[in-house]
Amino acid sequence: AIDAAIKEVATPLPGCPVPRVLEIGIGSDFVNLVRYPPGANIVAVDTATFSDRDVQRAMKLAGSAGVDLSLIQASVEALPFEDESFDAVVGSFVLCSVNDVEKSIAEISRVLRSGGAYAFVEHVRADEGSSMLSQQVILDPFQQAVAHNCHLARPTDETLRLAAGPVAKLNSGKGQHFSSIRNLERYDVPGMWPISEQAAGVLVK
């Protein structure tokens, strides 16, 4: 699902400049770099410090993929960029581990230009009353302790859905408005238990 979303937001339209893309929470595996179209201009942030080995590996992958890459240590909740700095934002399994989901969404919106898009894939809270939700709730404290604050039972897809519309239904202040949500899809990936319940889509500012 994220492959199509990245291509949608990062591919330039005919006669238009190459989009400037912010990838949040890129981590140290850099798996999305190969998903961008050649020529993409990517600024990637993560809360963790990038080691010299991380930087070398990332630049090698970026070179092989034909994309321009900059790496910056930063929190999604306090992005060090001016308003409307980017044409698109990409995030894969990021909002599970931030301290404040609504503030993070507000920051993503703030740095996006008007008409810009935020492509995301997140693991989400399982259906109410399901055995999977019971497992998520039981494992949640352990998961947060061992997996960099990852919350298993967050209803992230619902929070993102509420961020779209004429009046965003969040409470974090300026910068949270998105005009619409496209291609929102919820699905199950059995091989990824306990984060098998996932959602992907594109929010448009």
Side-chain angles (χ1 to χ4, degrees):
I2 194 63
D3 299 68
I6 287 176
K7 288 180 180 178
E8 177 184 347
V9 302
T11 301
L13 297 173
C16 294
V18 173
R20 188 168 187 241
V21 181
L22 173 66
E23 178 160 348
I24 55 173
I26 195 170
S28 59
D29 49 10
F30 310 111
V31 293
N32 283 336
L33 290 180
V34 298
R35 296 183 167 118
Y36 289 96
N41 179 3
I42 306 160
V43 177
V45 301
D46 200 276
T47 54
T49 302
F50 295 108
S51 68
D52 291 342
R53 180 176 293 182
D54 290 338
V55 174
Q56 291 172 3
R57 182 166 178 267
M59 293 308 171
K60 183 177 180 179
L61 289 169
S64 298
V67 300
D68 181 36
L69 175 67
S70 300
L71 297 174
I72 298 173
Q73 182 185 11
S75 166
V76 184
E77 292 146 295
L79 293 169
F81 309 109
E82 295 182 0
D83 295 358
E84 302 193 358
S85 296
F86 295 93
D87 301 296
V89 176
V90 171
S92 299
F93 306 116
V94 177
L95 298 182
C96 61
S97 58
V98 298
N99 291 319
D100 189 328
V101 177
E102 294 186 2
K103 186 175 181 180
S104 298
I105 294 171
E107 276 291 276
I108 292 166
S109 176
R110 180 185 66 78
V111 301
L112 267 176
R113 66 165 176 81
S114 179
Y118 165 39
F120 64 86
V121 59
E122 296 285 348
H123 64 82
V124 297
R125 184 181 181 90
D127 292 336
E128 295 299 324
S130 67
S131 61
M132 175 58 76
L133 179 57
S134 297
Q135 294 169 50
Q136 287 180 334
V137 170
I138 292 170
L139 291 172
D140 208 9
F142 178 75
Q143 179 80 355
Q144 292 174 43
V146 302
H148 308 288
N149 199 44
C150 172
H151 291 67
L152 291 174
R154 276 184 174 169
T156 306
D157 53 337
E158 183 61 22
T159 305
L160 289 167
R161 192 196 315 272
L162 291 174
V167 179
K169 299 173 183 177
L170 300 177
N171 302 307
S172 300
K174 182 181 176 182
Q176 62 199 265
H177 177 261
F178 287 88
S179 64
S180 62
I181 188 166
R182 293 201 305 256
N183 304 324
L184 180 62
E185 178 185 8
R186 181 167 168 143
Y187 51 89
D188 181 72
V189 185
M192 293 186 69
W193 179 93
I195 61 168
S196 54
E197 298 285 335
Q198 298 180 12
V202 176
L203 276 166
V204 180
K205 185 174 176 182

